[in-house]
Short mmCIF file of all heavy atoms in Angstrom, two decimals:
data_model
loop_
_atom_site.label_atom_id
_atom_site.label_comp_id
_atom_site.label_asym_id
_atom_site.label_seq_id
_atom_site.Cartn_x
_atom_site.Cartn_y
_atom_site.Cartn_z
N ALA A 1 18.53 -7.12 -13.38
CA ALA A 1 17.55 -6.23 -13.99
C ALA A 1 16.55 -5.72 -12.96
O ALA A 1 16.20 -4.53 -12.94
CB ALA A 1 16.82 -6.95 -15.13
N LEU A 2 16.07 -6.60 -12.08
CA LEU A 2 15.12 -6.20 -11.05
C LEU A 2 15.76 -5.20 -10.08
O LEU A 2 15.13 -4.20 -9.70
CB LEU A 2 14.64 -7.43 -10.28
CG LEU A 2 13.70 -8.38 -11.04
CD1 LEU A 2 13.49 -9.66 -10.24
CD2 LEU A 2 12.37 -7.71 -11.32
N LEU A 3 17.00 -5.45 -9.71
CA LEU A 3 17.69 -4.53 -8.81
C LEU A 3 17.93 -3.17 -9.47
O LEU A 3 17.77 -2.12 -8.83
CB LEU A 3 19.03 -5.12 -8.36
CG LEU A 3 18.96 -6.27 -7.35
CD1 LEU A 3 20.34 -6.87 -7.14
CD2 LEU A 3 18.40 -5.78 -6.01
N ALA A 4 18.30 -3.19 -10.74
CA ALA A 4 18.54 -1.94 -11.46
C ALA A 4 17.26 -1.12 -11.55
O ALA A 4 17.26 0.10 -11.35
CB ALA A 4 19.10 -2.21 -12.85
N LEU A 5 16.15 -1.79 -11.86
CA LEU A 5 14.86 -1.10 -11.93
C LEU A 5 14.46 -0.59 -10.55
O LEU A 5 13.90 0.51 -10.41
CB LEU A 5 13.80 -2.03 -12.49
CG LEU A 5 13.91 -2.36 -13.98
CD1 LEU A 5 12.90 -3.44 -14.37
CD2 LEU A 5 13.69 -1.10 -14.83
N GLY A 6 14.73 -1.39 -9.52
CA GLY A 6 14.43 -0.96 -8.16
C GLY A 6 15.23 0.27 -7.77
O GLY A 6 14.71 1.20 -7.16
N ALA A 7 16.52 0.28 -8.15
CA ALA A 7 17.38 1.43 -7.85
C ALA A 7 16.87 2.68 -8.56
O ALA A 7 16.82 3.76 -7.98
CB ALA A 7 18.82 1.13 -8.27
N LEU A 8 16.49 2.51 -9.83
CA LEU A 8 15.99 3.65 -10.60
C LEU A 8 14.69 4.19 -10.00
O LEU A 8 14.52 5.41 -9.83
CB LEU A 8 15.76 3.23 -12.05
CG LEU A 8 15.23 4.31 -13.00
CD1 LEU A 8 16.24 5.45 -13.11
CD2 LEU A 8 14.94 3.72 -14.37
N THR A 9 13.78 3.30 -9.65
CA THR A 9 12.50 3.71 -9.07
C THR A 9 12.69 4.35 -7.70
O THR A 9 11.96 5.27 -7.32
CB THR A 9 11.56 2.50 -8.94
OG1 THR A 9 11.49 1.81 -10.19
CG2 THR A 9 10.16 2.93 -8.56
N TYR A 10 13.72 3.90 -6.97
CA TYR A 10 13.98 4.43 -5.63
C TYR A 10 14.48 5.87 -5.68
O TYR A 10 14.52 6.54 -4.66
CB TYR A 10 15.00 3.53 -4.92
CG TYR A 10 15.05 3.70 -3.43
CD1 TYR A 10 13.95 3.38 -2.64
CD2 TYR A 10 16.20 4.17 -2.80
CE1 TYR A 10 13.99 3.54 -1.26
CE2 TYR A 10 16.25 4.32 -1.42
CZ TYR A 10 15.14 4.00 -0.66
OH TYR A 10 15.18 4.15 0.70
N THR A 11 14.88 6.32 -6.87
CA THR A 11 15.33 7.72 -7.02
C THR A 11 14.22 8.62 -7.55
O THR A 11 14.49 9.76 -7.96
CB THR A 11 16.53 7.80 -7.99
OG1 THR A 11 16.14 7.32 -9.28
CG2 THR A 11 17.70 6.98 -7.48
N ALA A 12 12.98 8.15 -7.54
CA ALA A 12 11.87 8.96 -8.05
C ALA A 12 11.71 10.28 -7.30
O ALA A 12 11.17 11.24 -7.85
CB ALA A 12 10.56 8.16 -7.97
N TRP A 13 12.21 10.34 -6.06
CA TRP A 13 12.13 11.59 -5.29
C TRP A 13 12.83 12.75 -6.02
O TRP A 13 12.50 13.91 -5.80
CB TRP A 13 12.74 11.42 -3.91
CG TRP A 13 14.16 10.92 -3.94
CD1 TRP A 13 14.57 9.62 -3.90
CD2 TRP A 13 15.35 11.71 -4.05
NE1 TRP A 13 15.95 9.55 -3.97
CE2 TRP A 13 16.45 10.82 -4.07
CE3 TRP A 13 15.59 13.08 -4.11
CZ2 TRP A 13 17.77 11.25 -4.16
CZ3 TRP A 13 16.91 13.53 -4.22
CH2 TRP A 13 17.98 12.62 -4.24
N ALA A 14 13.77 12.42 -6.92
CA ALA A 14 14.48 13.47 -7.65
C ALA A 14 13.56 14.25 -8.58
O ALA A 14 13.91 15.34 -9.05
CB ALA A 14 15.63 12.85 -8.45
N LEU A 15 12.37 13.72 -8.83
CA LEU A 15 11.39 14.44 -9.66
C LEU A 15 10.95 15.74 -9.00
O LEU A 15 10.37 16.61 -9.67
CB LEU A 15 10.17 13.55 -9.91
CG LEU A 15 10.39 12.34 -10.83
CD1 LEU A 15 9.14 11.46 -10.83
CD2 LEU A 15 10.72 12.80 -12.25
N GLU A 16 11.24 15.90 -7.72
CA GLU A 16 10.89 17.16 -7.04
C GLU A 16 11.61 18.34 -7.68
O GLU A 16 11.21 19.49 -7.49
CB GLU A 16 11.23 17.08 -5.57
CG GLU A 16 12.72 16.99 -5.26
CD GLU A 16 13.00 16.87 -3.78
OE1 GLU A 16 12.10 17.13 -2.96
OE2 GLU A 16 14.14 16.50 -3.42
N ALA A 17 12.68 18.04 -8.44
CA ALA A 17 13.41 19.12 -9.11
C ALA A 17 12.60 19.77 -10.22
O ALA A 17 12.84 20.92 -10.59
CB ALA A 17 14.73 18.59 -9.67
N VAL A 18 11.62 19.02 -10.76
CA VAL A 18 10.81 19.55 -11.87
C VAL A 18 9.33 19.65 -11.53
O VAL A 18 8.55 20.22 -12.31
CB VAL A 18 11.00 18.68 -13.14
CG1 VAL A 18 12.44 18.75 -13.62
CG2 VAL A 18 10.59 17.24 -12.88
N LEU A 19 8.92 19.10 -10.39
CA LEU A 19 7.52 19.15 -9.99
C LEU A 19 7.32 20.22 -8.92
O LEU A 19 8.14 20.34 -8.01
CB LEU A 19 7.06 17.79 -9.45
CG LEU A 19 7.04 16.62 -10.42
CD1 LEU A 19 6.67 15.33 -9.69
CD2 LEU A 19 6.07 16.87 -11.57
N PRO A 20 6.23 20.97 -9.00
CA PRO A 20 5.95 22.01 -7.99
C PRO A 20 5.38 21.40 -6.70
O PRO A 20 4.19 21.51 -6.42
CB PRO A 20 4.93 22.91 -8.69
CG PRO A 20 4.20 21.98 -9.61
CD PRO A 20 5.22 20.98 -10.09
N THR A 21 6.25 20.76 -5.93
CA THR A 21 5.79 20.08 -4.72
C THR A 21 5.46 21.05 -3.59
O THR A 21 4.71 20.70 -2.67
CB THR A 21 6.86 19.10 -4.22
OG1 THR A 21 8.05 19.83 -3.86
CG2 THR A 21 7.21 18.09 -5.31
N GLY A 22 6.07 22.22 -3.62
CA GLY A 22 5.85 23.17 -2.54
C GLY A 22 6.72 22.92 -1.32
O GLY A 22 6.61 23.63 -0.32
N LEU A 23 7.58 21.91 -1.38
CA LEU A 23 8.46 21.57 -0.27
C LEU A 23 9.89 21.99 -0.59
O LEU A 23 10.31 21.96 -1.75
CB LEU A 23 8.41 20.07 0.02
CG LEU A 23 7.05 19.48 0.40
CD1 LEU A 23 7.15 17.98 0.57
CD2 LEU A 23 6.53 20.13 1.68
N THR A 24 10.63 22.37 0.44
CA THR A 24 12.02 22.78 0.27
C THR A 24 12.94 21.58 0.48
O THR A 24 13.03 21.06 1.60
CB THR A 24 12.39 23.89 1.27
OG1 THR A 24 11.48 24.97 1.13
CG2 THR A 24 13.82 24.37 1.03
N PRO A 25 13.61 21.10 -0.56
CA PRO A 25 14.42 19.87 -0.44
C PRO A 25 15.47 19.93 0.67
O PRO A 25 15.76 18.90 1.30
CB PRO A 25 15.08 19.75 -1.82
CG PRO A 25 14.14 20.46 -2.74
CD PRO A 25 13.59 21.60 -1.94
N ALA A 26 16.03 21.08 0.93
CA ALA A 26 17.11 21.17 1.92
C ALA A 26 16.63 20.98 3.35
O ALA A 26 17.44 20.67 4.23
CB ALA A 26 17.82 22.52 1.80
N HIS A 27 15.34 21.13 3.59
CA HIS A 27 14.84 21.12 4.97
C HIS A 27 13.74 20.11 5.25
O HIS A 27 13.25 20.04 6.38
CB HIS A 27 14.32 22.52 5.34
CG HIS A 27 15.35 23.60 5.16
ND1 HIS A 27 16.47 23.71 5.94
CD2 HIS A 27 15.42 24.62 4.26
CE1 HIS A 27 17.20 24.74 5.55
NE2 HIS A 27 16.58 25.32 4.53
N THR A 28 13.32 19.34 4.26
CA THR A 28 12.19 18.42 4.45
C THR A 28 12.60 16.96 4.28
O THR A 28 13.57 16.65 3.59
CB THR A 28 11.06 18.73 3.46
OG1 THR A 28 11.57 18.64 2.12
CG2 THR A 28 10.50 20.12 3.67
N TYR A 29 11.84 16.08 4.92
CA TYR A 29 12.04 14.65 4.73
C TYR A 29 11.67 14.25 3.31
O TYR A 29 10.73 14.79 2.72
CB TYR A 29 11.16 13.85 5.69
CG TYR A 29 11.49 13.97 7.16
CD1 TYR A 29 10.68 14.71 8.01
CD2 TYR A 29 12.60 13.32 7.70
CE1 TYR A 29 10.96 14.81 9.37
CE2 TYR A 29 12.89 13.41 9.05
CZ TYR A 29 12.07 14.16 9.88
OH TYR A 29 12.36 14.26 11.21
N VAL A 30 12.37 13.26 2.78
CA VAL A 30 12.00 12.70 1.48
C VAL A 30 10.58 12.14 1.54
O VAL A 30 9.79 12.29 0.61
CB VAL A 30 13.00 11.61 1.05
CG1 VAL A 30 12.52 10.91 -0.23
CG2 VAL A 30 14.38 12.21 0.82
N SER A 31 10.25 11.48 2.64
CA SER A 31 8.94 10.85 2.78
C SER A 31 7.79 11.84 2.80
O SER A 31 6.63 11.47 2.61
CB SER A 31 8.91 9.98 4.04
OG SER A 31 9.25 10.75 5.18
N GLU A 32 8.09 13.12 3.06
CA GLU A 32 7.03 14.13 3.05
C GLU A 32 6.48 14.36 1.65
O GLU A 32 5.36 14.84 1.49
CB GLU A 32 7.54 15.43 3.66
CG GLU A 32 7.73 15.33 5.17
CD GLU A 32 8.27 16.60 5.80
OE1 GLU A 32 9.44 16.93 5.54
OE2 GLU A 32 7.52 17.25 6.54
N LEU A 33 7.27 14.01 0.63
CA LEU A 33 6.77 14.11 -0.74
C LEU A 33 5.57 13.19 -0.96
O LEU A 33 4.69 13.47 -1.77
CB LEU A 33 7.88 13.74 -1.74
CG LEU A 33 9.07 14.68 -1.83
CD1 LEU A 33 10.20 14.01 -2.61
CD2 LEU A 33 8.67 15.99 -2.49
N ALA A 34 5.54 12.08 -0.21
CA ALA A 34 4.47 11.09 -0.35
C ALA A 34 3.38 11.24 0.70
O ALA A 34 2.51 10.36 0.84
CB ALA A 34 5.07 9.69 -0.28
N ALA A 35 3.41 12.32 1.45
CA ALA A 35 2.40 12.52 2.50
C ALA A 35 0.99 12.58 1.91
O ALA A 35 0.80 12.94 0.75
CB ALA A 35 2.69 13.81 3.27
N GLY A 36 0.04 12.22 2.73
CA GLY A 36 -1.33 12.11 2.26
C GLY A 36 -1.92 13.39 1.72
O GLY A 36 -2.80 13.36 0.86
N ASN A 37 -1.46 14.54 2.19
CA ASN A 37 -2.06 15.80 1.75
C ASN A 37 -1.20 16.53 0.70
O ASN A 37 -1.46 17.68 0.38
CB ASN A 37 -2.29 16.73 2.94
CG ASN A 37 -0.98 17.23 3.55
OD1 ASN A 37 0.09 16.66 3.32
ND2 ASN A 37 -1.07 18.28 4.35
N GLN A 38 -0.18 15.86 0.18
CA GLN A 38 0.69 16.49 -0.81
C GLN A 38 0.17 16.28 -2.22
O GLN A 38 -0.42 15.23 -2.53
CB GLN A 38 2.11 15.95 -0.68
CG GLN A 38 2.80 16.34 0.62
CD GLN A 38 2.85 17.84 0.80
OE1 GLN A 38 3.41 18.58 -0.01
NE2 GLN A 38 2.23 18.32 1.89
N PRO A 39 0.38 17.25 -3.11
CA PRO A 39 -0.21 17.17 -4.45
C PRO A 39 0.27 15.99 -5.28
O PRO A 39 -0.47 15.49 -6.14
CB PRO A 39 0.21 18.50 -5.09
CG PRO A 39 1.40 18.95 -4.31
CD PRO A 39 1.14 18.50 -2.91
N TYR A 40 1.51 15.54 -5.05
CA TYR A 40 2.04 14.41 -5.82
C TYR A 40 2.26 13.19 -4.92
O TYR A 40 3.07 12.32 -5.24
CB TYR A 40 3.34 14.81 -6.51
CG TYR A 40 3.14 15.93 -7.50
CD1 TYR A 40 3.41 17.25 -7.13
CD2 TYR A 40 2.66 15.68 -8.79
CE1 TYR A 40 3.21 18.30 -8.03
CE2 TYR A 40 2.45 16.72 -9.69
CZ TYR A 40 2.73 18.03 -9.30
OH TYR A 40 2.53 19.05 -10.19
N GLY A 41 1.52 13.16 -3.83
CA GLY A 41 1.66 12.07 -2.87
C GLY A 41 1.42 10.70 -3.48
O GLY A 41 2.16 9.75 -3.23
N THR A 42 0.39 10.59 -4.32
CA THR A 42 0.07 9.29 -4.93
C THR A 42 1.21 8.81 -5.81
O THR A 42 1.56 7.62 -5.81
CB THR A 42 -1.21 9.40 -5.77
OG1 THR A 42 -2.30 9.78 -4.91
CG2 THR A 42 -1.55 8.06 -6.42
N LEU A 43 1.80 9.71 -6.56
CA LEU A 43 2.93 9.36 -7.43
C LEU A 43 4.09 8.81 -6.62
O LEU A 43 4.62 7.73 -6.92
CB LEU A 43 3.39 10.58 -8.22
CG LEU A 43 4.72 10.45 -8.98
CD1 LEU A 43 4.61 9.38 -10.06
CD2 LEU A 43 5.15 11.79 -9.55
N PHE A 44 4.49 9.51 -5.58
CA PHE A 44 5.65 9.09 -4.80
C PHE A 44 5.36 7.85 -3.95
O PHE A 44 6.26 7.03 -3.74
CB PHE A 44 6.14 10.24 -3.93
CG PHE A 44 6.76 11.36 -4.73
CD1 PHE A 44 6.14 12.60 -4.82
CD2 PHE A 44 7.94 11.17 -5.42
CE1 PHE A 44 6.70 13.63 -5.56
CE2 PHE A 44 8.51 12.19 -6.17
CZ PHE A 44 7.90 13.43 -6.24
N ARG A 45 4.12 7.70 -3.51
CA ARG A 45 3.79 6.46 -2.80
C ARG A 45 3.84 5.27 -3.75
O ARG A 45 4.29 4.17 -3.38
CB ARG A 45 2.39 6.57 -2.17
CG ARG A 45 2.32 7.51 -0.97
CD ARG A 45 1.02 7.36 -0.21
NE ARG A 45 -0.15 7.74 -0.99
CZ ARG A 45 -0.63 8.98 -1.09
NH1 ARG A 45 -0.02 9.97 -0.47
NH2 ARG A 45 -1.72 9.23 -1.81
N SER A 46 3.41 5.47 -4.97
CA SER A 46 3.41 4.40 -5.97
C SER A 46 4.84 3.99 -6.33
O SER A 46 5.14 2.79 -6.47
CB SER A 46 2.65 4.83 -7.22
OG SER A 46 1.30 5.10 -6.93
N THR A 47 5.72 4.96 -6.50
CA THR A 47 7.10 4.62 -6.85
C THR A 47 7.81 3.95 -5.67
O THR A 47 8.64 3.04 -5.88
CB THR A 47 7.87 5.88 -7.29
OG1 THR A 47 7.77 6.90 -6.29
CG2 THR A 47 7.33 6.41 -8.61
#
């Protein structure tokens, strides 16, 4: 159960498909979603 929840949480980056992150998925690092100056940085750092 812990591993399954961890796997699910580890895919939180897929929320960029519905959130206006301003980043282009094809050309940016996944970790840039959690950058300090990004609008949803707190969300992605938390996940």
Side-chain angles (χ1 to χ4, degrees):
L2 289 171
L3 286 172
L5 289 172
L8 180 63
T9 309
Y10 198 64
T11 61
W13 56 269
L15 290 172
E16 67 181 345
V18 296
L19 295 176
T21 63
L23 300 177
T24 305
H27 304 292
T28 58
Y29 293 106
V30 173
S31 56
E32 288 179 291
L33 293 167
N37 68 342
Q38 293 303 301
Y40 298 97
T42 299
L43 169 64
F44 291 112
R45 288 192 296 273
S46 298
T47 53

